[in-house]
């Protein structure tokens, strides 16, 4: 096997008395697509925050391409090629949609390349918005983010990630708050990104869509990993079914 692109080793996070993530370990090979599922409050977003540097772990390690990044700040992880979307969208609300993408396009990671010619960034931003389904010849890309419906803001999250040309793309419930047709429009894009070799972590409640992308899944419950394997297999697991009981999605 190739060297893992990501190694998560006994990651643990406690908030006061609450154990949000407890001793979670897994490896990710380059090009894999890992699904993370589990009931609300089971620690999925906290795990994403630990991998991306938005919270510091109580214990454990994160290694990216063989380099320990456990204590690296979030922006430095972005520079290494890790991009994430937020479950609770975080656009610059006062900026037009396309201007939201100018900021990642100025990052050192991609800035030199796309900034070569003046005006190039606007063009790249428009193209990215088109890719996630913004109507190109409409006013939508020029509207301030605060005026856009939620489904657009979720897709803006994806476009912001793609602007960074990530090696590891982490999507935290990207599809929640999207209409069926919005989901249907971005799913082939994510499949294409996976086929191009980008490694993906996908936290997702929509299992049918998750199965289209993920080759492997882990299941969290009360901060612990309770199952790991092929997505269809973990879903059939008795313990997993019990964890999901009472949840609206399974
Ligand atoms: N910043 C925080 N401060 C205190 N508790 C938190 C914080 N973030 C998450 N938690 C708690 O950690 C647990 C896991 O939350 P979260 O990772 O958001 O779960 P999920 O994404 O699976 O719904 C929950 O009990 C949540 O209330
Ligand atoms: Mg969450």
């Amino acid at each position: 096997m190739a060297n893992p692109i990501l190694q998560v080793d006994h990651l643990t996070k406690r908030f006061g008395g609450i154990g949000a993530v407890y001793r979670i370990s897994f490896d990710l090979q380059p090009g894999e697509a890992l699904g993370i599922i589990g009931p609300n409050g089971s620690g999925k977003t906290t795990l994403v925050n630990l991998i991306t540097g938005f919270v510091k772990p109580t214990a454990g390690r994160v290694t990216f391409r063989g380099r320990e990044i456990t204590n690296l700040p979030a922006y430095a992880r972005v520079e290494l090629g890790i991009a994430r979307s937020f479950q609770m969208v975080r656009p610059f609300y006062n900026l037009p949609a396309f201007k939201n993408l100018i900021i990642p396009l100025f990052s050192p990671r991609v800035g030199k390349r796309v900034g070569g010619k003046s005006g190039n960034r606007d063009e790249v931003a428009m193209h990215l918005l088109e890719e996630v389904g913004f109507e190109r010849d409409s006013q939508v890309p020029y509207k301030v983010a605060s005026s856009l419906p939620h489904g657009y803001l979720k897709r803006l999250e994806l476009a912001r990630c793609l602007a960074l040309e990530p090696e590891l793309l982490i999507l935290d419930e990207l599809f929640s708050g999207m209409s069926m047709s919005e989901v249907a429009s971005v799913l082939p894009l994510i499949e294409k990104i996976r086929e191009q070799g980008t490694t993906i972590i996908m936290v997702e409640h929509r299992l049918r869509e998750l199965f289209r992308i993920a080759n492997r899944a882990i299941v969290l419950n009360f901060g612990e990993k309770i199952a790991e394997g092929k997505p269809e297999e973990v879903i059939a697991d008795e313990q997993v079914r019990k964890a999901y009981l009472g949840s609206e999605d399974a």
Side-chain angles (χ1 to χ4, degrees):
M1 265 213 259
N3 292 326
I5 186 168
L6 182 76
Q7 292 163 281
V8 169
D9 184 16
H10 293 87
L11 262 190
T12 298
K13 179 64 186 180
R14 275 187 290 273
F15 292 110
I18 299 169
V21 164
Y22 186 67
R23 292 174 71 84
I24 290 188
S25 301
F26 64 85
D27 282 1
L28 210 51
Q29 296 296 324
E32 265 202 290
L34 177 77
I36 301 180
I37 59 177
N40 286 335
S42 58
K44 304 181 297 296
T45 295
T46 302
L47 182 56
V48 170
N49 286 339
L50 290 166
I51 294 169
T52 52
F54 285 83
V55 305
K56 293 273 175 279
T58 310
R61 291 155 59 97
V62 183
T63 307
F64 184 68
R65 292 202 174 288
R67 170 184 173 185
E68 185 175 352
I69 59 165
T70 314
N71 293 307
L72 221 54
Y75 72 84
R77 300 187 206 205
V78 171
E79 284 310 311
L80 292 178
I82 303 175
R84 59 88 56 94
S85 72
F86 289 95
Q87 179 180 0
M88 305 294 180
V89 296
R90 286 193 186 185
F92 295 99
Y93 281 103
N94 296 325
L95 290 183
F98 85 99
K99 287 282 184 196
N100 270 261
L101 301 182
I102 300 298
I103 292 151
L105 289 175
F106 264 101
S107 75
R109 181 173 172 75
V110 293
K112 279 202 193 78
R113 199 179 56 69
V114 296
K117 292 189 197 123
S118 59
N120 208 2
R121 286 194 181 90
D122 284 6
E123 189 50 40
V124 174
M126 283 301 179
H127 177 72
L128 284 164
L129 286 180
E130 198 177 12
E131 278 217 290
V132 300
F134 281 52
E135 299 81 356
R136 189 185 178 98
D137 294 323
S138 73
Q139 286 304 305
V140 184
Y142 302 96
K143 289 190 172 163
V144 290
S146 59
S147 71
L148 292 178
H150 191 63
Y152 279 89
L153 294 179
K154 294 303 290 263
R155 288 180 288 152
L156 184 59
E157 282 287 314
L158 177 60
R160 186 177 51 67
C161 291
L162 299 183
L164 294 166
E165 298 176 10
E167 292 181 38
L168 172 60
L169 170 64
I170 307 182
L171 303 172
D172 191 358
E173 298 201 28
L174 179 69
F175 295 151
S176 67
M178 277 195 205
S179 69
M180 294 295 272
S181 67
E182 284 169 336
V183 171
S185 73
V186 294
L187 202 52
L189 174 61
I190 299 170
E191 282 181 306
K192 186 178 92 182
I193 293 160
R194 187 199 59 196
E195 277 155 23
Q196 287 167 346
T198 304
T199 309
I200 297 176
I201 294 178
M202 197 171 185
V203 176
E204 195 49 66
H205 278 303
R206 297 208 195 193
L207 297 179
R208 191 174 306 143
E209 285 77 13
L210 182 92
F211 289 175
R212 287 252 310 254
I213 307 293
N215 63 295
R216 189 153 64 97
I218 64 174
V219 185
L220 304 190
N221 195 29
F222 293 112
E224 291 190 63
K225 184 172 85 176
I226 60 164
E228 175 166 14
K230 290 211 174 77
E232 299 80 358
E233 286 170 13
V234 294
I235 279 303
D237 184 288
E238 185 64 23
Q239 215 188 343
V240 173
R241 295 199 156 270
K242 272 197 192 127
Y244 258 114
L245 265 183
S247 140
E248 70 276 28
D249 297 293

